[in-house]
């Protein structure tokens, strides 16, 4: 859960957290009021769940590496409690382990309370689902194993659904995003892992009630712990990938100081377009990384050309236009980038075939490259450089729409316009940039504003051709190489 700093935390976020806490209290209260709560099992399972979480976050002796936070919680024990205990008792089991889970950011106590509340509510809902479907026909007894599979699967799905719904609600409240956007992808990404945890929890419950008892049930945790360790290795590998990306971006920004933050913002806009097109998961991440690294080839371009304030000569322009090929060569051996490599190579292609390096047209241009081309032009127009004032966001979007079909894929342009109009534009801000434009959600950009003259950004495609003061008037065109004067001179 991402929570804003205290000064910026909106009231709806507090309302969502308070409602979750009250719901958790209502779910757990019957365990204290009713005489049928099996307290020894509740305490044992609660300590077992707490122990699993502590082992997950604390390094083993002689090993300083912790399990990354991204692998989520270890739910088999909690789901075993769902199958073994009444719903209110299962909700109680969730509390100690949820409080112990690692949190990123402050205030930590708010995040811990939130984790405990949402897991308690989810456990109660899963227990009710399991009981209603006949998984626990009487107190203290499970249904026969084959017949308990369907109720257990439904309970795991209910557990996942409640967690996803609460996560989406708090995300929408914290970032003031539409619920549809906040919920997108949450359920699909977590349903399969929760079902696997549910199967392991059911095996624990069945063995717990068998003649072999608790020792046999604990054996189920062994393969789950191994899979958790493997998953942790995967997350460490992803962290190494992110470090590689950050190093490449920092190298480009150190060389071309005028485009500081440009890659991050292009990645942000590319992700907005990708979400609007229905991409999620790995596909969306590929597009985001492509946006971040699209200008990595500038490492092969002489620094004097990148920092030149005036117009470039045709020879200098040809040198800078080699940067997509340089970038593609640089990342050719980085396997995890996948389709992002094609976007790095082709993000200066135009749909009418007038781009470079290969003059591809329409569908010949890879989808990630078409997304990045629009995001790159958008940030080039809306951020200020030493030789260029930013255009207003509505003006930039209107210019993209005007050039759709000739320079840009109209589908990608429409996706960006819709995303900015609905969610707003909140660009990534670097330490030395305080003039980036922020457009709040719900303020749909106007389409009637006339594009203002502005010099393009050397960090990405610029929309040139708008008559500057004293320049001769001609039909405006988009210069994907980043021309620095209205009549097409300049570099990338």
């Amino acid at each position: 859960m991402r929570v804003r700093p205290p000064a910026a935390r909106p009231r709806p976020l507090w309302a969502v957290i308070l409602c979750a806490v009250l719901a958790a209290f209502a779910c757990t209260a019957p365990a204290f009021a009713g005489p049928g709560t099996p307290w020894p099992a509740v305490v044992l399972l609660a300590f077992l769940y707490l122990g699993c979480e502590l082992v997950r976050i604390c390094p083993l002796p002689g090993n300083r590496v912790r399990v990354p936070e991204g692998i989520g919680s270890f739910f088999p024990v909690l789901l075993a409690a769902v199958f073994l205990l009444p719903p209110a008792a299962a909700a109680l089991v969730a509390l100690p382990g949820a409080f112990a889970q690692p949190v990123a950011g402050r205030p930590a106590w708010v995040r811990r309370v939130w984790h405990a509340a949402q897991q308690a509510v989810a456990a109660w809902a899963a227990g009710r689902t399991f009981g209603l479907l006949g998984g626990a026909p009487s107190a203290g007894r499970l249904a026969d194993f084959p017949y308990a599979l369907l109720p257990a699967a439904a309970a795991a799905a209910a557990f996942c659904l409640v967690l996803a719904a609460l996560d989406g609600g708090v995300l929408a409240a914290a970032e003031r995003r539409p619920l549809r956007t906040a919920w997108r992808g949450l359920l699909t990404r977590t349903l399969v892992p929760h079902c696997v945890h549910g199967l392991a929890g059911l095996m624990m419950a069945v063995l717990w009630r068998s003649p072999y008892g608790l020792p046999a049930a604990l054996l189920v945790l062994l393969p789950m712990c191994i899979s958790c360790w493997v998953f942790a290795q995967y997350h460490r590998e992803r962290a190494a990938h992110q470090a590689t990306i950050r190093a490449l971006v920092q190298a480009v920004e150190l060389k071309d100081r005028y485009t500081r933050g440009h890659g991050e913002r292009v990645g942000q806009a590319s992700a907005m377009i990708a979400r609007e097109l229905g991409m999620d998961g790995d596909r969306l991440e590929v597009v985001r990384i492509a946006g971040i690294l699209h200008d990595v080839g500038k490492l092969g371009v002489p620094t004097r050309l990148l920092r030149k304030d005036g117009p470039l000569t045709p020879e200098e322009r040809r040198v800078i236009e080699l940067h997509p090929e340089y970038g593609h060569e640089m990342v050719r051996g980085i396997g995890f980038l996948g389709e992002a490599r094609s976007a790095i190579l082709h993000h200066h292609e135009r749909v009418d075939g007038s781009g470079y390096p290969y003059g591809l047209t329409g569908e010949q241009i890879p989808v990630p490259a078409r997304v990045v081309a629009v995001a790159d032009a958008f940030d080039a127009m809306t951020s200020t450089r030493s030789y260029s004032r930013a255009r207003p966001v509505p003006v930039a979007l209107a210019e993209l729409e005007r050039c759709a079909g000739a320079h840009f894929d109209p589908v990608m342009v429409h996706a960006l316009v819709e995303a900015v109009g609905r969610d707003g534009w909140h660009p990534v801000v670097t330490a030395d940039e305080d003039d980036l434009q922020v457009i709040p959600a719900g303020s749909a950009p106007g389409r009637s504003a006339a594009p203002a003259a502005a010099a393009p950004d050397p960090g990405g495609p610029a929309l040139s051709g708008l008559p500057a003061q004293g320049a001769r008037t001609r039909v405006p065109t988009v210069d994907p190489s980043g021309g620095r004067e209205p009549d097409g001179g300049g570099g990338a």
Side-chain angles (χ1 to χ4, degrees):
M1 178 189 71
R2 291 176 286 179
V3 181
R4 293 171 176 237
R9 197 172 298 123
R11 290 183 180 178
L13 177 59
W14 284 117
V16 171
I17 295 174
L18 180 60
C19 288
V21 171
L22 293 176
F25 178 79
C27 291
T28 55
F32 298 96
T37 301
W39 287 107
V42 170
V43 173
L44 181 58
L45 286 166
F47 272 103
L48 188 57
Y49 182 41
L50 174 62
C52 289
E53 290 299 324
L54 292 177
V55 168
R56 210 174 57 82
I57 64 176
C58 296
L60 297 175
N63 181 14
R64 297 185 178 180
V65 180
R66 296 170 182 253
V67 174
E69 296 171 7
I71 69 170
S73 301
F74 192 67
F75 287 135
V77 174
L78 181 54
L79 289 168
V82 167
F83 304 139
L84 288 168
L85 305 174
L92 277 177
V93 170
L95 298 180
F99 274 115
Q101 288 168 12
V103 294
R106 297 180 179 178
W109 70 270
V110 174
R111 297 169 184 270
R112 295 184 190 280
V113 168
W114 168 257
H115 286 161
Q118 71 169 164
Q119 289 185 28
V121 174
W124 180 88
R128 290 288 294 172
T129 302
F130 188 67
L132 290 173
L133 294 179
S138 62
R141 185 172 70 85
L142 283 170
D144 293 337
F145 175 66
Y147 304 102
L149 283 174
L150 181 59
F159 185 82
C160 177
L161 181 62
V162 172
L163 287 182
L166 291 174
D167 273 335
V170 79
L171 188 61
E175 300 188 354
R176 300 185 181 182
R177 291 164 52 182
L179 281 174
R180 182 176 66 89
T181 304
W183 279 329
R184 181 179 295 166
L186 284 176
L187 184 62
T188 55
R189 288 196 301 267
T190 57
L191 182 59
V192 172
H194 282 113
C195 286
V196 173
H197 285 194
L199 179 60
L202 180 62
M203 293 170 64
M204 282 190 65
V206 170
L207 289 173
W208 188 305
R209 294 303 184 193
S210 73
Y212 302 103
L214 179 60
L218 294 179
L219 290 177
V220 176
L221 295 178
L222 181 61
M224 292 298 296
C225 289
I226 293 174
S227 68
C228 182
W229 179 83
V230 172
F231 199 33
Q233 296 299 110
Y234 165 74
H235 274 269
R236 292 190 189 104
E237 183 178 352
R238 284 181 63 89
H241 294 170
Q242 295 298 326
T244 301
I245 293 170
R246 283 195 300 271
L248 290 171
V249 170
Q250 289 172 357
V252 174
E253 292 181 347
L254 286 173
K255 185 165 187 175
D256 186 7
R257 63 180 181 272
Y258 294 138
T259 59
R260 189 161 299 165
H262 171 67
E264 291 289 343
R265 293 192 299 274
V266 173
Q268 181 182 351
S270 298
M272 291 176 67
I273 296 172
R275 287 192 194 95
E276 192 67 25
L277 296 174
M279 300 182 192
D280 56 16
D282 291 341
R283 178 77 164 168
L284 186 144
E285 183 67 7
V286 163
V287 172
R288 188 185 71 85
I289 291 174
I292 293 174
L293 293 180
H294 72 285
D295 273 342
V296 68
K298 286 186 176 180
L299 292 173
V301 176
T303 304
R304 63 178 180 81
L305 298 184
L306 296 176
R307 298 187 178 183
K308 185 176 180 181
D309 288 339
L312 301 176
T313 66
E315 292 76 16
E316 292 171 334
R317 183 187 180 95
R318 282 193 289 271
V319 171
I320 289 188
E321 286 181 355
L322 292 173
H323 80 272
E325 294 173 278
Y326 290 158
H328 186 259
E329 281 299 315
M330 289 176 186
V331 302
R332 182 190 293 273
I334 305 179
F336 73 87
L337 291 179
E339 283 185 292
R341 295 193 293 269
S342 67
I344 293 171
L345 179 61
H346 296 297
H347 70 277
H348 279 301
E349 304 283 5
R350 293 177 173 178
V351 295
D352 62 2
S354 61
Y356 64 87
Y358 301 130
L360 303 183
T361 62
E363 297 295 326
Q364 293 178 336
I365 306 172
V367 171
R370 282 180 267 158
V371 172
V372 172
V374 173
D376 191 14
F378 175 67
D379 183 66
M381 288 188 290
T382 55
S383 54
T384 296
R385 299 293 179 260
S386 63
Y387 47 79
S388 166
R389 293 301 301 171
R391 303 183 188 187
V393 168
V395 172
L397 292 175
E399 181 71 358
L400 288 172
E401 287 184 310
R402 185 185 64 78
C403 297
H407 298 167
F408 306 115
D409 187 329
V411 175
M412 310 305 173
V413 173
H414 178 74
L416 180 62
V417 172
E418 291 297 314
V420 172
R422 184 185 62 252
D423 302 333
W425 172 239
H426 305 274
V428 175
V429 180
T430 57
D432 56 351
E433 290 174 311
D434 56 2
D435 55 355
L436 292 175
Q437 302 169 68
V438 177
I439 303 296
S443 56
R447 309 292 175 81
S448 59
D457 172 15
L463 305 190
S464 64
L466 297 175
Q469 188 174 10
R472 63 183 173 86
T473 304
R474 67 182 182 88
V475 177
T477 57
V478 178
D479 180 5
S481 64
R484 295 185 189 171
E485 57 184 18
D487 291 316

